[in-house]
């Protein structure tokens, strides 16, 4: 339920709180409910700019939850179909610049609660990927950002980040603006990197790539449920994506295909 107890400024400040319950259960939940209810429609552009600026904040709490705030703003603008292409591209650039270089990959911590930058950033990319103003070329850049993030990870995913990144990729791939080539070309850097593997312990990024691509394969093969209206979303190039995923993962995981 939307409550008027705290001002928007107070809630935005709490998104940077080191206390997980204040940041997540209170501030983020309240902001997302106000945005979803349309109470902040007159301020969405300003909010989006503030959240993208927050991606440069000094703490991981602020950066990661700024990306969640951006997800809410973009989701609402998509629903009312008022996200201009120029704004979407500006926010996407800022988001990608942060996402592929974010050094803190922690999910849940006892001290700070949820941080989850890998998952939160993927959610934001998926939200931008649903914008009707983006072209196939724009969507391809979002997919490339997901691949770059996977390749740069240094810790094995512990908190279902692979599910979130895989779902984000699948959601973007439901867009008919993507050509067949664009739907799979973003996988090439992962395939190239996996092909360079050497004997020994499996690096974190390899495990993360393989697990995420398995999530994507399921979505490409079976479709995925739209959380808002429970309809099944289908990937236009699903069969081609499945084939490309298999070709990619079998290089490093021959026992799984």
């Amino acid at each position: 339920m939307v409550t008027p107890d705290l001002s928007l400024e107070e809630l935005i400040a709490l998104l940077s709180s080191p206390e997980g319950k204040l940041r997540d259960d209170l501030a983020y939940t309240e902001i997302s409910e106000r945005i979803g209810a349309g109470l902040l429609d007159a301020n969405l552009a300003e909010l989006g700019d503030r959240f993208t600026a927050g991606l440069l904040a000094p703490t991981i709490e602020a950066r990661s939850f700024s990306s969640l705030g951006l997800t809410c703003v973009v989701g609402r603008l998509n629903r009312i179909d008022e996200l201009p292409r120029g704004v979407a591209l500006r926010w996407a650039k800022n988001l990608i610049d942060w996402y592929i270089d974010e050094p803190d990959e922690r999910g849940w911590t006892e001290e700070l609660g949820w941080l989850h930058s890998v998952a939160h950033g993927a959610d934001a990319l998926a939200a931008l990927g649903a914008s009707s103003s983006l072209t196939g070329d724009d969507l391809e850049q979002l997919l490339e950002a997901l691949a770059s993030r996977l390749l740069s990870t240094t810790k094995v995913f512990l908190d279902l980040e692979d599910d979130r990144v895989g779902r984000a990729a699948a959601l973007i791939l439901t867009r008919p603006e993507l050509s067949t080539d664009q739907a799979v070309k973003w996988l090439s850097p992962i395939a190239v990197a996996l092909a360079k593997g050497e004997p020994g312990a499996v690096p974190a990024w390899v495990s993360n790539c393989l697990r995420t691509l398995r999530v994507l394969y399921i979505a490409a093969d079976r479709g995925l449920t739209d959380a808002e209206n429970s309809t099944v979303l289908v990937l236009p190039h699903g069969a081609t994506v499945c084939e490309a995923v298999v070709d990619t993962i079998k290089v490093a995981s021959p026992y799984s295909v």
Side-chain angles (χ1 to χ4, degrees), residues 40-222:
L40 302 177
D41 282 358
N43 308 104
L44 291 176
E46 176 190 353
L47 275 177
D49 285 339
R50 292 187 65 175
F51 288 137
T52 53
L55 299 173
L56 300 176
T59 66
I60 179 56
E61 305 96 295
R63 296 193 299 273
S64 186
F65 276 76
S66 289
S67 73
L68 270 188
L70 182 62
T71 300
C72 295
V73 168
V74 172
R76 177 61 183 171
L77 287 168
N78 286 341
R79 283 192 289 277
I80 61 178
D81 198 22
E82 292 188 8
L83 180 55
R85 172 176 164 76
V87 175
L89 291 179
R90 184 174 75 248
W91 291 349
K93 182 183 184 306
N94 292 338
L95 178 66
I96 290 171
D97 288 346
W98 161 71
Y99 190 56
I100 63 177
D101 289 329
E102 172 56 56
D104 196 319
E105 301 167 8
R106 290 175 294 172
W108 168 266
T109 73
E110 291 297 330
E111 177 186 4
L112 298 172
W114 284 112
L115 299 175
H116 233 193
S117 65
V118 173
H120 292 174
D123 292 347
L125 287 168
L128 282 163
S131 170
S132 61
S133 65
L134 296 189
T135 67
D137 289 344
D138 303 329
L139 297 169
E140 186 179 11
Q141 291 183 32
L142 303 183
L143 293 168
E144 289 171 349
L146 292 174
S148 294
R149 175 72 275 189
L150 288 172
L151 288 169
S152 66
T153 51
T154 59
K155 294 180 174 61
V156 174
F157 293 156
L158 297 177
D159 295 303
L160 299 180
E161 292 91 344
D162 40 345
D163 283 17
R164 299 276 278 277
V165 178
R167 180 175 176 82
L171 286 169
I172 296 169
L173 286 164
T174 63
R175 294 293 301 277
E177 293 85 353
L178 286 163
S179 68
T180 303
D181 184 59
Q182 290 172 324
V184 297
K185 189 167 60 175
W186 64 283
L187 293 169
S188 295
I190 298 177
V192 170
L194 292 176
K196 295 178 180 178
E198 299 178 352
V202 177
W205 68 267
V206 173
S207 176
N208 295 338
C209 284
L210 295 177
R211 289 157 56 191
T212 299
L213 292 183
R214 290 175 184 135
V215 172
L216 175 57
Y217 181 96
I218 294 171
D221 181 58
R222 299 175 60 90

Side-chain angles (χ1 to χ4, degrees), residues 208-254:
N208 295 338
C209 284
L210 295 177
R211 289 157 56 191
T212 299
L213 292 183
R214 290 175 184 135
V215 172
L216 175 57
Y217 181 96
I218 294 171
D221 181 58
R222 299 175 60 90
L224 63 167
T225 303
D226 184 336
E228 289 193 1
N229 54 31
S230 299
T231 59
V232 175
L233 302 175
V234 177
L235 282 63
H237 308 293
T240 302
V241 171
C242 284
E243 183 178 355
V245 167
V246 170
D247 288 342
T248 300
I249 67 176
K250 70 182 181 183
V251 174
S253 184

